[in-house]
């Protein structure tokens, strides 16, 4: 026992299978290496270990000069899409023999950029043009005076975003400009991808690898940097290959007289070997409402049974619109596209006003646009104009340690009336209205490393989740309950009325009684003359909120990004100003530091 302890101490305090002589040899060998050389060596040693276990073959090591050149991929990802594209790029780079390193932006030291040769940034945009949480530090660093000159670096940027938003792909644009200003040379023009990003991303990856392999020899063994822990929880199922799960339960959890329909949904994952953690999302592939599709086809006077080809598959137009394309939510890009088939002066004027167009698109479904501005268009022209169907992501409302081979969701039906006709959201109506118990639903897990419980079970947490934003906090409390976590838990919940919209009320009361839930503050906006929201409750409890933060609390916000999240953020800044006696600038810096330390995490949409 004492011998093992001595070896552990001499090996830097790490539990190691190396004896002292091996460790000294290794330490001496790596002590003079640059970070790039260390990354390459790590991949090479990993590959040797795989060869020893019979899993792969390894090329002979290249010269030390050659080892300096590698492709470094940095991903800035909020929900996991950019990370997935970055991982695909790494895999394809490995397949063609390129030395490659994959790095989370949060783990990348900015000053290392000057030592790189070929850098790729795959970046999504969060909220109103903000960098994802995991890229805040690097994004800020590259704008600072500390940022190094990058005249010897070649780079490329792939941006993911949603053209419905004003600051479409802003984070990718930012990184592209940062690198250019710092003197780096562009390997490939930046590509800005919309929500149906897969095809554009694949084309870009192919072009990038062709370009990089012209400069970096393919004889070098691939080196693989650290991949985040979420990868270890993956199964055989993914966005591209979802699991055919079955619907177990649908239960309405708003009251009879509520003007909202919110359902608690349970899905069976038995046999999938799917694992998820609190804070992750469930991706749901849905089908469009056949009645809505029929209305669109009739408005355009097209033949529902006309044969069309979609990604090499022959389908009727009706089936293609039900299964393959987004036909509910409108977007500015689509409206601009269909405007070319119309001479309507109002429509032509609309597309010249970016702000007005975004507002109109956000509040008008595709079928309403077609009814307001009739056009003549072919089936193929229609399909070309539409976005391909993409899965919807729902915050998971259960802990797997509690429900095992199930996953729970809290889904609010998007529904409103236009000119006497009811309009519904595509995915929400599929889950709450058109699926029946026992029906198949195609799902996958989207891991979210930016919305996670603290590793320390003693740490206090503050959860702010109005409406269906309550979902992940149900999973948080189930998880902390099963882990016997001793940290205090404070929940802020808000909705319209106490009697009709208090989601999971019985569960919160049970947790209060058991002591798992330390505090519960609620805000029901319509139960009094003046509207009261969660940000008001936060300000009312400013002294206690500040004290919890001083005691190391982690603060989480889930729900609407456009209003609630902004108002809560502003309230948090005010709490810091008032309780910490800080200036506005100091308070904003305090809140920013909380985010960088992952003590202020948001899952907003």
């Amino acid at each position: 026992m004492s011998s093992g302890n001595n070896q552990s101490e001499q090996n830097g305090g790490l539990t190691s299978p190396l004896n002292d002589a091996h460790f000294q040899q290794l330490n001496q060998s790596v002590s003079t290496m640059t970070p790039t050389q260390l990354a390459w060596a790590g991949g090479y040693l990993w590959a040797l270990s795989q060869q020893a276990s019979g899993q792969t073959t390894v090329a002979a090591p290249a010269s030390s000069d050659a080892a300096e050149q590698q492709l470094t991929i940095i991903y800035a990802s909020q929900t996991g899409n950019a990370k997935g594209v970055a991982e695909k790029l790494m895999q394809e780079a490995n397949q063609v023999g390129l030395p490659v390193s994959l790095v989370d932006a949060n783990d990348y030291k900015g000053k290392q950029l000057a030592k790189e040769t070929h850098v790729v940034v795959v970046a999504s945009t969060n909220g109103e043009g903000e960098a994802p949480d995991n890229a805040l530090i690097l994004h800020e660093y590259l704008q600072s005076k500390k940022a190094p000159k990058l005249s010897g670096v070649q780079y490329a940027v792939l941006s993911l975003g949603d053209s419905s938003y004003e600051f479409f792909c802003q984070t990718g644009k930012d990184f592209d400009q940062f690198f250019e200003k710092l003197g780096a040379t562009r390997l490939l023009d930046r590509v800005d991808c919309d929500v149906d990003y897969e095809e554009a991303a694949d084309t870009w990856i192919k072009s990038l690898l062709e370009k990089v392999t012209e400069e970096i020899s393919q004889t070098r063994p691939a080196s693989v940097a650290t991949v985040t822990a979420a990868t270890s929880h993956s199964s055989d199922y993914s966005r591209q290959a979802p699991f055919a799960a079955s619907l177990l339960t649908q239960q309405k959890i708003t009251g009879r007289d509520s003007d909202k329909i919110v359902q608690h949904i349970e899905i069976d994952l038995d046999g999938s070997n799917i694992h998820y953690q609190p804070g992750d999302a469930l991706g749901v592939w849905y089908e469009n409402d056949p009645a809505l599709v029929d209305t669109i086809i009739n408005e355009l006077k097209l033949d529902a049974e006309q044969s069309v080809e979609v990604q090499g598959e022959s389908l009727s137009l009706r089936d293609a619109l039900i299964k393959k394309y987004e036909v509910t939510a409108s977007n500015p890009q689509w409206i601009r596209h269909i405007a070319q088939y119309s001479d309507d002066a109002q429509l032509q004027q609309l597309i010249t006003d970016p702000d007005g167009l975004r507002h109109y698109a956000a509040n008008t479904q595709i079928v309403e646009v077609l009814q307001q501005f009739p056009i003549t268009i072919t089936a193929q022209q229609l399909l070309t104009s539409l976005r391909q169907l993409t899965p919807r992501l729902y915050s998971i409302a259960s802990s797997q340690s509690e429900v095992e081979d199930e996953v729970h969701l809290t889904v609010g039906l998007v529904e409103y009336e236009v000119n006497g006709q009811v309009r519904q959201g595509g995915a929400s109506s599929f889950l709450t209205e058109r699926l029946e118990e026992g029906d198949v639903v195609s799902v996958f897990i989207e891991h979210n490393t930016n919305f996670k419980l603290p590793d320390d079970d003693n740490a206090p947490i503050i959860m702010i989740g109005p409406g269906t934003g309550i979902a992940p906090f149900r999973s948080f409390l189930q998880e902390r309950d099963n882990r016997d976590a001793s940290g205090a838990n404070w929940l802020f919940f808000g909705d319209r009325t106490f009697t009709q919209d208090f989601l999971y009320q019985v569960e919160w009361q049970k947790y209060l009684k058991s002591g798992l839930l330390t505090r519960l503050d609620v805000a029901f906006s319509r139960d009094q003359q003046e509207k009261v929201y969660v940000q008001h409750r936060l300000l009312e409890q400013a002294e206690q909120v500040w004290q919890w933060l001083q005691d190391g609390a982690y603060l989480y916000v889930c729900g609407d990004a456009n209003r609630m999240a902004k108002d809560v953020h502003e309230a948090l800044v005010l709490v810091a100003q008032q309780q910490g006696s800080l200036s506005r600038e100091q308070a904003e810096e305090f809140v920013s530091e909380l985010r960088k330390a992952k003590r202020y995490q948001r899952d907003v949409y």
Side-chain angles (χ1 to χ4, degrees), residues 510-522:
K510 180 191 73 173
Y511 286 144
L512 276 171
K513 186 176 180 180
S514 71
L516 176 69
L517 189 54
T518 312
R519 292 193 60 160
L520 173 63
D521 282 84
V522 295

Side-chain angles (χ1 to χ4, degrees), residues 581-599:
S581 299
L582 304 177
S583 68
R584 174 75 189 194
E585 184 179 354
Q586 289 171 329
E588 288 176 344
E589 179 62 23
F590 172 80
V591 173
S592 176
E593 289 302 317
L594 285 179
R595 286 188 69 182
K596 292 174 186 176
K598 293 191 175 291
R599 287 182 51 207

Side-chain angles (χ1 to χ4, degrees), residues 58-79:
V58 183
S63 69
S64 59
D65 289 340
E68 290 284 348
Q69 298 223 8
Q70 71 165 5
L71 179 65
T72 298
I73 307 166
I74 303 170
Y75 63 85
S77 184
Q78 189 68 26
T79 61

Side-chain angles (χ1 to χ4, degrees), residues 72-76 86 101-106 108 113 116 119-123 138 175 179:
T72 298
I73 307 166
I74 303 170
Y75 63 85
S101 171
L102 177 67
V103 190
D104 185 322
N106 194 60
Y108 191 84
L113 280 171
E116 303 285 4
V119 178
V120 169
V121 177
V122 183
L138 183 61
F175 277 115
F179 275 81

Side-chain angles (χ1 to χ4, degrees), residues 335-581:
I335 294 175
R336 290 192 190 98
H337 189 97
I338 62 107
Q340 66 183 299
Y341 302 106
S342 172
D343 294 326
D344 189 285
Q346 184 182 353
L347 178 58
Q348 297 303 322
Q349 178 62 32
L350 178 64
I351 64 174
T352 65
D353 175 11
D355 291 337
L357 179 58
R358 274 192 300 274
H359 178 77
Y360 176 77
N363 294 279
T364 314
Q365 288 198 351
I366 283 174
V367 67
E368 296 159 29
V369 178
L370 295 175
Q371 289 172 339
Q372 185 175 354
F373 304 111
I375 59 173
T376 299
I377 193 172
T378 68
Q380 190 55 54
Q381 287 170 334
L382 172 64
L383 298 186
T384 300
S385 74
L386 295 170
R387 289 173 168 175
Q388 292 186 10
L389 197 68
T390 55
R392 293 293 190 267
L393 299 180
Y394 289 94
S395 300
I396 291 174
S398 56
S399 163
Q400 204 159 22
S401 58
E402 174 87 8
V403 303
E404 298 181 345
D405 289 332
E406 295 179 12
V407 62
H408 298 177
L409 304 178
T410 309
V411 180
L413 174 64
V414 176
E415 185 175 57
Y416 57 95
E417 192 173 300
V418 177
N419 298 326
Q421 295 181 308
V422 175
R423 301 294 183 218
Q424 296 180 328
S428 66
S429 61
F430 174 74
L431 286 168
T432 63
E433 301 264 299
R434 298 196 298 281
L435 272 187
E436 297 183 358
E437 292 183 9
D439 283 352
V440 171
V441 55
S442 298
V443 301
F444 61 95
I445 299 298
E446 193 74 68
H447 296 291
N448 186 355
T449 58
N450 297 311
F451 200 75
K452 283 286 174 282
L453 281 167
D455 293 332
D456 182 3
D457 282 346
N458 297 314
I461 64 172
I462 301 172
M463 301 163 284
I464 305 169
T468 56
I470 197 67
F473 303 133
R474 185 173 182 264
S475 76
F476 277 23
L477 288 173
Q478 287 182 356
E479 179 74 9
R480 289 204 124 189
D481 192 24
N482 279 272
R483 276 162 44 173
D484 292 324
S486 59
N489 305 299
W490 187 353
L491 176 64
F492 287 84
F493 173 73
D495 216 308
R496 295 180 180 178
T497 68
F498 174 85
T499 57
Q500 302 296 319
D501 305 299
F502 197 169
L503 307 183
Y504 300 114
Q505 177 185 359
V506 173
E507 294 187 26
W508 309 137
Q509 290 174 333
K510 180 191 73 173
Y511 286 144
L512 276 171
K513 186 176 180 180
S514 71
L516 176 69
L517 189 54
T518 312
R519 292 193 60 160
L520 173 63
D521 282 84
V522 295
F524 294 101
S525 61
R526 300 185 181 181
D527 279 350
Q528 60 282 311
Q529 188 172 0
E530 292 186 5
K531 297 288 181 69
V532 177
Y533 299 106
V534 287
Q535 64 267 22
H536 299 134
R537 297 296 186 223
L538 197 67
L539 288 170
E540 289 172 2
Q541 303 297 332
E543 184 177 353
Q544 284 299 310
V545 169
W546 180 254
Q547 187 57 57
W548 277 51
L549 291 174
Q550 297 308 300
D551 291 341
Y554 286 64
L555 189 143
Y556 302 87
V557 180
C558 182
D560 171 57
N562 294 325
R563 292 187 179 180
M564 183 277 298
K566 292 178 181 178
D567 291 340
V568 167
H569 183 89
E570 176 62 21
L572 190 57
V573 172
L574 289 175
V575 167
Q577 278 186 270
Q578 297 167 4
Q579 301 300 315
S581 299

Side-chain angles (χ1 to χ4, degrees), residues 46 71 87-101 209 218 220-225:
W46 174 85
L71 179 65
E87 288 177 338
K88 184 172 185 179
L89 172 56
M90 180 193 72
Q91 292 163 1
E92 295 194 16
N94 268 321
Q95 288 172 5
V96 298
L98 285 172
V100 58
S101 171
L209 292 179
Q218 297 184 43
R220 300 187 188 102
S223 63
V224 184

